[in-house]
Amino acid sequence: MTKRLLVIMTALCLLLSCFPLAASAAAGDSVEIKLTIGSPTVTINGTASKIQPPVKENGTTLVPLSIITKAFGAKLKLEKNKIITLTYNSTIVVLTIGSNDVKVNGTVTKLSTAPKIVNSVTLVPVRVIAQAFGATVVPSGNLITITGKVAGEAAATNSGGLSGIDTDAGKTKVGDSYYGWSMNYPTDLSLSYQSDNGNWSVWSDGSGDPSVIVSVSDVEETLTKQELRDHIQTYFDDNELVMEKKTISVGGVSYEKMVTKSRDGWFFEYRGTQKDSRIYTVMSGAKAATRDALNKYQDLLDSFALSFNKSDRTLKDVTKVVDGLITIHDEDYGLEVKLPVQWLRDTESPTPLFFNADEGLIDFAIKSVQNNETAGQWRAAERAKLEKEFASDYIRNFEESTITLKNGQAQVLKYEFSWNKTKWITEYDVFLIAGDHKYHISFYSLKEDGSKGKGLFDTIVNSLVIDTKYVDGNFSEMDDEDLAGQVIKKSSKKYGYSIELPATWTAEDKDFEQDSVFYYTDYGYFQLTVADNVTASSYVNWYKDYVSADKDMKALDAKVTQSTTTMINGNLITRVDTVLNEAAKPYSDSMYLFEKNNRLYIVQFTAPQAYDTVAYQALNTQVLQSLTFN
């Protein structure tokens, strides 16, 4: 089982320790809690449950946090695995595990005993929290009685939308209505993690390690038995030993079953089956001395079914898909957006970026407002850049409009661009100014049917909600330095040259004392290479043979279109032009060869043909003319 699963959401499991509520409490209902220091029994409105025993330290009684959140309907948020924020109506209580500071509606006071974790359960001072919620705490020896009312908007969930599975009175099964599966209610586990679209769900015990996992994968063909086993093995770590591998039948469904052991002491059981175009994999894991530790999950795994009965009121639906859409939150950017279920989040991107390989992509950027700029002025400037960047026959059909979003009115620039004049991509750029910042949303539609692309754009963008107060409070100036027109002079002592490059270019290999440097330009790529004791004519001959014979160049349909000589700054140079007519994105490549001091200097510019504009050629000429030799 992949190592990332073994560390998912540990703190959530610590917070959401398991005990059942007697019944679903409504907002405003009275709550009476009776518990005893040192006793594992608590009664809530007369119904007894088992808990981690409360303790008394330095005169302060510490009780399981879950009693507070579940009985009073307090909302829970966890940050940095230790900062706990409880919200009860208009009251906000902030505690930190291991800290004696408590903040109630912004006012900080000191606790005699800090919140702590005992046997994987978070214990908190009961009196300060209960009194903040307007409840009364009455001690009688070791017996403590707490009375109060359920919050006006009762919720036993954390900010990520996950909850202890045991909070749902009357529920005996869980499942996902979109993916069509169900299983028995894991009463001793908590739903600790779900992927954005819910195709990966993790239930954990109090230790924070994954105990049971359900994964759903889409496939286009029917898998053989061996292919299904190969699929299961994609979940393995490199150090897992296969201890059992066979076909089993449970409830009339055939599964491929594999049991493994990792070198670090974990046992795992995997069961995989296919129904129509989906593979369902159910997994359990336990760190133990023997595989017998997996036995406690057998009944749960045996109950897994490839169905979801929407009329079954005992079945809890954990789906994240509503009307074919998923809701994604990016708290770092104060962003909420609804996307089709097949879309994915780019977790490697530093800014919010979501995509579907067949449908398109949407990204999101923040900058600060400058000089009382309007959204209309911003849009006009961006259009001018595009018209300069693209060759005229690679961009078309500009349309300007206004759209009303949940955060205000925005300007929209729609246009089509192409890399090959055959397949056209529709882009919608949305320009919103709200508060101290401006927001650029770019939507790229790959749908050939323009109306479907427009419908997808409307669905996604109209769902967009930005917490502009959060952005203004946490982001300051976000404008990049205007480097347009600026150049940076680079020199090489070893190879005896200097050259001026645009400051907007990004270096990949930038050590000019090496024989090659490489930059990403505004349009494509730039490379400067130095070779000793090589002539321009011999290099050109070698290059032509390479282009005509190399299989990779053939795959790109590469052709040398011209080889000429000319003078630049008094230096005789050879220019070789090549086109790479690869169907999806044709490129043009120009090499300039300088012979100097028994060395050959090769300056190379490569860019998509869509960017081969007058401005691009002028910039290349400017760089070439800046090249001087010692």
Side-chain angles (χ1 to χ4, degrees):
M1 185 178 295
T2 52
K3 291 179 181 177
R4 65 190 178 90
L5 299 180
L6 302 180
V7 295
I8 288 174
M9 309 300 282
T10 300
L12 284 175
C13 299
L14 297 177
L15 291 173
L16 297 171
S17 54
C18 301
F19 78 100
L21 285 179
S24 298
D29 282 358
S30 296
V31 176
E32 182 184 69
I33 305 169
K34 289 183 178 292
L35 48 82
T36 302
I37 296 170
S39 170
T41 301
V42 63
T43 62
I44 301 175
N45 290 343
T47 299
S49 300
K50 295 297 182 182
I51 60 169
Q52 173 67 30
V55 298
K56 192 169 187 177
E57 294 184 6
N58 300 325
T60 298
T61 300
L62 303 175
V63 303
L65 174 61
S66 53
I67 291 176
I68 304 297
T69 59
K70 296 174 183 178
F72 284 93
K75 296 180 181 179
L76 167 66
K77 180 179 180 181
L78 176 69
E79 297 174 282
K80 299 180 180 179
N81 294 338
K82 62 180 181 178
I83 302 174
I84 303 164
T85 300
L86 301 174
T87 303
Y88 174 88
N89 296 332
S90 60
T91 299
I92 298 175
V93 180
V94 181
L95 310 99
T96 301
I97 295 172
S99 171
N100 293 84
D101 290 340
V102 60
K103 185 185 295 185
V104 179
N105 287 340
T107 301
V108 179
T109 58
K110 289 289 185 181
L111 300 168
S112 59
T113 303
K116 61 190 297 184
I117 296 173
V118 177
N119 295 330
S120 301
V121 175
T122 303
L123 302 182
V124 295
V126 63
R127 184 177 294 275
V128 67
I129 298 175
Q131 290 180 346
F133 291 174
T136 59
V137 180
V138 179
S140 178
N142 286 334
L143 174 66
I144 298 173
T145 302
I146 307 167
T147 56
K149 293 185 180 297
V150 177
E153 294 181 359
T157 61
N158 57 65
S159 62
L162 307 176
S163 66
I165 201 68
D166 56 329
T167 62
D168 302 291
K171 301 297 184 183
T172 60
K173 289 177 283 187
V174 295
D176 191 299
S177 58
Y178 177 80
Y179 292 107
W181 63 264
S182 58
M183 66 181 182
N184 285 348
Y185 188 96
T187 55
D188 59 343
L189 303 175
S190 294
L191 179 59
S192 58
Y193 171 79
Q194 281 186 290
S195 57
D196 285 333
N197 61 7
N199 68 345
W200 185 275
S201 300
V202 180
W203 281 266
S204 301
D205 62 13
S207 69
D209 293 323
S211 298
V212 173
I213 299 168
V214 177
S215 171
V216 185
S217 304
D218 292 325
V219 292
E220 296 182 356
E221 67 283 330
T222 300
L223 272 59
T224 66
K225 178 186 295 188
Q226 185 57 49
E227 288 172 334
L228 189 52
R229 291 178 176 181
D230 291 342
H231 176 81
I232 291 173
Q233 287 186 271
T234 63
Y235 298 107
F236 287 12
D237 275 343
D238 293 337
N239 64 356
E240 284 186 44
L241 312 174
V242 177
M243 309 181 74
E244 182 179 328
K245 180 168 53 176
K246 65 180 182 180
T247 303
I248 63 173
S249 180
V250 181
V253 177
S254 177
Y255 292 86
E256 295 308 311
K257 175 184 175 182
M258 301 180 78
V259 177
T260 68
K261 181 182 185 298
S262 69
R263 293 289 190 179
D264 51 358
W266 279 81
F267 289 91
F268 304 107
E269 178 176 337
Y270 303 85
R271 298 182 183 184
T273 190
Q274 181 173 0
K275 180 181 179 182
D276 301 326
S277 60
R278 286 176 176 157
I279 299 174
Y280 297 82
T281 307
V282 191
M283 300 163 260
S284 64
K287 189 171 186 178
T290 70
R291 61 180 285 181
D292 291 343
L294 294 174
N295 292 341
K296 64 180 179 180
Y297 300 118
Q298 294 304 298
D299 289 343
L300 187 59
L301 268 58
D302 287 346
S303 73
F304 186 82
L306 302 178
S307 61
F308 186 97
N309 184 357
K310 293 185 178 180
S311 64
D312 186 351
R313 297 180 65 85
T314 68
L315 176 55
K316 175 180 173 61
D317 191 357
V318 297
T319 190
K320 299 185 78 172
V321 184
V322 179
D323 298 328
L325 299 175
I326 55 177
T327 301
I328 296 181
H329 301 268
D330 190 320
E331 295 184 358
D332 293 331
Y333 278 82
L335 173 69
E336 177 186 298
V337 64
K338 287 182 170 62
L339 297 168
V341 65
Q342 300 86 359
W343 280 54
L344 301 173
R345 184 202 304 247
D346 183 352
T347 56
E348 300 298 320
S349 174
T351 59
L353 190 154
F354 312 95
F355 67 95
N356 177 282
D358 297 320
E359 295 186 335
L361 176 150
I362 185 168
D363 63 11
F364 179 87
I366 297 176
K367 292 187 176 182
S368 54
V369 180
Q370 299 291 322
N371 301 322
N372 297 317
E373 177 183 26
T374 67
Q377 291 169 337
W378 184 16
R379 178 180 64 187
E382 292 299 320
R383 175 170 179 171
K385 289 180 183 178
L386 288 166
E387 292 175 329
K388 180 181 179 182
E389 183 177 78
F390 277 92
S392 60
D393 49 348
Y394 286 87
I395 194 165
R396 68 187 187 187
N397 296 339
F398 281 97
E399 295 180 15
E400 297 181 355
S401 61
T402 302
I403 187 173
T404 300
L405 303 179
K406 291 182 173 63
N407 291 97
Q409 196 172 75
Q411 301 298 316
V412 180
L413 179 63
K414 175 189 173 185
Y415 56 93
E416 297 175 353
F417 69 91
S418 177
W419 301 116
N420 56 15
K421 301 182 185 178
T422 300
K423 183 176 180 59
W424 291 83
I425 300 169
T426 302
E427 180 169 352
Y428 297 81
D429 285 330
V430 180
F431 305 96
L432 170 69
I433 294 180
D436 298 330
H437 291 83
K438 55 185 185 180
Y439 304 86
H440 188 183
I441 302 100
S442 297
F443 175 77
Y444 304 83
S445 174
L446 301 179
K447 289 185 173 293
E448 294 184 3
D449 186 331
S451 62
K452 290 184 178 179
K454 177 63 162 59
L456 186 57
F457 166 75
D458 288 341
T459 297
I460 294 175
V461 173
N462 287 328
S463 75
L464 188 68
V465 180
I466 305 169
D467 187 346
T468 56
K469 290 185 178 179
Y470 168 81
V471 173
D472 286 346
N474 291 276
F475 289 75
S476 54
E477 294 188 12
M478 293 292 296
D479 273 318
D480 297 326
E481 182 184 358
D482 186 4
L483 301 176
Q486 297 184 36
V487 298
I488 300 175
K489 187 173 183 178
K490 297 291 185 179
S491 300
S492 174
K493 292 182 179 180
K494 180 176 180 179
Y495 294 106
Y497 71 87
S498 295
I499 193 168
E500 294 180 353
L501 304 178
T504 56
W505 291 6
T506 302
E508 176 72 12
D509 298 314
K510 59 181 180 179
D511 186 351
F512 283 78
E513 300 309 317
Q514 298 295 318
D515 60 5
S516 181
V517 293
F518 183 90
Y519 278 72
Y520 294 101
T521 75
D522 300 331
Y523 299 95
Y525 315 104
F526 163 85
Q527 188 167 13
L528 192 158
T529 304
V530 184
D532 289 325
N533 301 313
V534 178
T535 65
S537 59
S538 64
Y539 185 87
V540 170
N541 290 335
W542 170 85
Y543 178 75
K544 288 180 177 179
D545 290 340
Y546 165 71
V547 170
S548 62
D550 183 77
K551 64 179 182 179
D552 292 333
M553 297 300 281
K554 286 183 177 180
L556 295 172
D557 192 19
K559 293 180 175 61
V560 176
T561 58
Q562 72 168 355
S563 177
T564 61
T565 57
T566 187
M567 298 291 292
I568 293 182
N569 290 346
N571 296 300
L572 180 66
I573 70 163
T574 300
R575 173 175 173 169
V576 180
D577 291 324
T578 307
V579 293
L580 298 88
N581 291 313
E582 195 272 329
K585 195 173 185 179
Y587 275 77
S588 295
D589 181 277
S590 295
M591 288 193 302
Y592 300 84
L593 292 83
F594 297 73
E595 290 185 44
K596 206 76 173 177
N597 303 324
N598 293 321
R599 286 180 174 139
L600 182 64
Y601 298 82
I602 306 167
V603 179
Q604 187 171 3
F605 301 94
T606 308
Q609 293 175 16
Y611 286 164
D612 195 356
T613 64
V614 172
Y616 169 69
Q617 293 294 343
L619 186 60
N620 292 355
T621 299
Q622 176 184 321
V623 172
L624 285 168
Q625 290 177 341
S626 74
L627 179 62
T628 58
F629 301 94
N630 297 339

